[in-house]
Amino acid sequence: MSSEADGKAALNAALDAGMTFIDTADVYGDGRSETIIREVLKARSGPRPFVATKAGRRLNPHNDAGYTKKTWKPSSTAA
């Protein structure tokens, strides 16, 4: 498994090379990927990439019928 430092270095290299879109989710690394992305972007200046994330897969219990503000809010703030 890669270290957090490796992830940050890879993301910085991709951004330096002109990457403009990041696709992530709260289930990638149990939220770790979103934390790394946040920290890297917070430390950088300049153009910002588009960041797409998914939410809801960590709802407990999982709600296949649909998401409401009540069921989604705890999941979105945990990521």
Side-chain angles (χ1 to χ4, degrees):
M1 177 179 262
S2 296
S3 72
E4 188 170 306
D6 291 338
K8 288 179 179 181
L11 182 54
N12 274 305
L15 291 166
D16 290 344
M19 181 181 68
T20 61
F21 185 81
I22 301 170
D23 180 29
T24 189
D26 61 351
V27 295
Y28 300 166
D30 196 26
R32 187 169 164 227
S33 66
E34 291 178 328
T35 300
I36 291 170
I37 292 165
R38 179 191 69 225
E39 290 174 0
V40 167
L41 294 179
K42 187 176 180 180
R44 293 178 64 94
S45 60
R48 293 286 194 221
F50 290 96
V51 179
T53 190
K54 281 77 65 191
R57 297 300 303 169
R58 294 170 59 169
L59 290 178
N60 187 11
H62 186 70
N63 181 358
D64 288 328
Y67 304 114
T68 66
K69 187 175 183 179
K70 181 180 176 183
T71 61
W72 183 76
K73 181 78 171 166
S75 177
S76 67
T77 57

